[in-house]
Amino acid sequence: MPHPVTQQITAIHAMLSAGHRNLRIERHSLILWGLAGGILFLISESILTPEDIPVIEQRALAWLAVLATVLGGVGIADWHLTRRVKEARDEAWSFIHRQILKVWWLLMGMATLFTFAMFFFGGGYMLCAAWLVMLGLGLYIHGLFSEELLEWSGVLIILIGIGSLGFQLPYETMRWIAAAVFGLGLPLLAALLDRGRHRSALFRLVQVVAWLLAVLALPLWAQHRAYSTPIPEGPVLSLEEFRHSGQPRGTQIVLLPAGTRVPVEMELAGDLFAGPGQEAPIMPLTLAEPIEVLMQDGRLTGDARVPSGPWQRAREARWIRIPWLKAELTPEAGPVVRGSLDVRFRHE
């Protein structure tokens, strides 16, 4: 039997720990926010597309309205449910809890504004990572005053977001991972909550590893299954044969030989340079190696491959990056705009 003094010390230590971590995140909060975020990521490529709303300003405002409506509705529902649960337990809203709630809303608002700004200033490739970093930061801050497990999972979510950019994952892969972290990871995290009980580091490590496998392995497997349907093969036509084929129908594969010039037309807008009514500037590119492109009823699908190689799916492509762009003015050349364009086909 433990000594009475030891029991008293243990009880005092437990009370002190409970006083430092006196917040409680409700399970329904994680489920509500998780399902809302997961569904939004899953349907983001199917609604409010450029084909539906061609004007980019209108599309940006439409997405802002959707995000504000969905997240605002989830936030109001979460607040009412939390208040009802606290009343049933005869608990009051603590000062720290109200401040943490404000921080959470600030982070979600920043992610929403980043999504809105993306339409005007670019950076769409980082969209999923930005949402994951904001989510992880919110959980980590909450975990500092509530459950240790939230700290661990918050750091992991931040690392997932940063790692997605660091490993240059295709945007479609990052979208599936973000949907899994929200839609699967947060409800699973709600089931793992143990009301702040102290656990050993090994136990927490097992928990977070299992959670990490669930939110990473499952979306990657699901994406692989979704895109595992083989691309239908068709006749391989040379570029000249395609040009004389008239109105193409069905599935066709067109071979573009090495040395083919690909003109890139840049459409200009704004008040500094001549745009509408002027000839669009053309930047000629030349293929360094042959490439086969897939066409369906006369339209490019975006799928491509080197001859006899595996197909690179359109949704997984990472084609163009612009590392830098700057303007110069010199006595010799006058005004010049210089930039760097990195066009890659193979994944590294």
Side-chain angles (χ1 to χ4, degrees):
M1 293 293 292
H3 195 276
V5 176
T6 305
Q7 290 181 328
Q8 290 179 355
I9 294 176
T10 302
I12 292 173
H13 178 74
M15 286 189 293
L16 290 175
S17 298
H20 290 303
R21 296 181 178 270
N22 58 353
L23 293 188
R24 174 185 293 182
I25 190 169
E26 305 297 338
R27 289 189 170 92
H28 65 256
S29 299
L30 294 173
I31 295 173
L32 285 174
W33 287 99
L35 292 180
I39 292 173
L40 283 174
F41 274 110
L42 284 178
I43 67 175
S44 61
E45 295 297 308
S46 304
I47 64 172
L48 306 180
T49 62
E51 291 76 17
D52 299 329
I53 309 177
V55 181
I56 192 169
E57 292 83 0
Q58 296 178 0
R59 192 161 69 251
L61 290 173
W63 267 111
L64 181 61
V66 168
L67 290 175
T69 301
V70 173
L71 298 183
V74 170
I76 293 173
D78 180 27
W79 185 81
H80 281 288
L81 289 176
T82 302
R83 186 181 65 174
R84 184 180 302 175
V85 170
K86 283 184 173 294
E87 290 176 351
R89 292 198 301 256
D90 196 22
E91 294 180 2
W93 291 84
S94 66
F95 174 78
I96 296 178
H97 196 170
R98 292 180 183 274
Q99 307 316 308
I100 294 296
L101 192 61
K102 294 177 183 178
V103 172
W104 176 264
W105 272 102
L106 176 64
L107 294 174
M108 293 299 101
M110 290 174 60
T112 300
L113 290 178
F114 178 84
T115 305
F116 179 71
M118 172 203 73
F119 288 94
F120 304 97
F121 304 106
Y125 178 74
M126 300 185 293
L127 181 63
C128 299
W131 276 95
L132 290 178
V133 170
M134 294 300 179
L135 172 66
L137 186 58
L139 291 179
Y140 178 79
I141 294 175
H142 201 295
L144 293 176
F145 301 94
S146 57
E147 302 201 28
E148 191 178 46
L149 182 61
L150 295 177
E151 293 183 54
W152 289 61
S153 57
V155 171
L156 277 180
I157 293 174
I158 294 174
L159 293 178
I160 290 173
I162 297 175
S164 299
L165 295 178
F167 288 104
Q168 300 182 12
L169 297 180
Y171 175 79
E172 187 67 9
T173 301
M174 290 195 289
R175 187 172 71 89
W176 280 74
I177 291 176
V181 170
F182 273 89
L184 178 63
L186 293 190
L188 182 59
L189 187 60
L192 294 176
L193 294 178
D194 50 16
R195 298 310 180 199
R197 277 188 277 176
H198 180 73
R199 301 287 190 177
S200 65
L202 179 60
F203 183 84
R204 293 299 187 198
L205 182 62
V206 172
Q207 279 187 316
V208 296
V209 168
W211 182 88
L212 187 63
L213 289 176
V215 299
L216 286 183
L218 189 59
L220 295 178
W221 174 82
Q223 185 195 21
H224 174 74
R225 293 286 298 176
Y227 300 137
S228 61
T229 304
I231 294 178
E233 293 290 341
V236 179
L237 304 178
S238 67
L239 185 57
E240 291 299 322
E241 290 175 335
F242 173 75
R243 286 175 172 171
H244 296 89
S245 63
Q247 294 294 329
R249 290 289 183 269
T251 301
Q252 292 178 314
I253 300 175
V254 181
L255 173 63
L256 305 179
T260 301
R261 291 176 63 84
V262 182
V264 179
E265 295 187 2
M266 305 296 292
E267 182 177 330
L268 292 177
D271 57 358
L272 182 60
F273 296 103
Q278 302 293 326
E279 184 178 355
I282 297 177
M283 178 175 58
L285 300 180
T286 303
L287 290 180
E289 58 181 327
I291 187 174
E292 294 179 353
V293 294
L294 183 67
M295 302 195 67
Q296 187 68 38
D297 295 330
R299 300 185 63 180
L300 285 170
T301 65
D303 303 307
R305 69 179 180 183
V306 295
S308 302
W311 286 101
Q312 296 284 353
R313 296 280 188 168
R315 288 180 174 270
E316 299 178 353
R318 298 170 298 183
W319 287 72
I320 298 176
R321 290 187 300 167
I322 303 178
W324 58 272
L325 187 69
K326 66 179 180 179
E328 296 180 351
L329 178 61
T330 61
E332 297 80 14
V336 178
V337 177
R338 304 183 187 277
S340 174
L341 184 67
D342 187 10
V343 183
R344 296 184 181 271
F345 176 70
R346 294 184 177 87
H347 293 179
E348 295 180 352

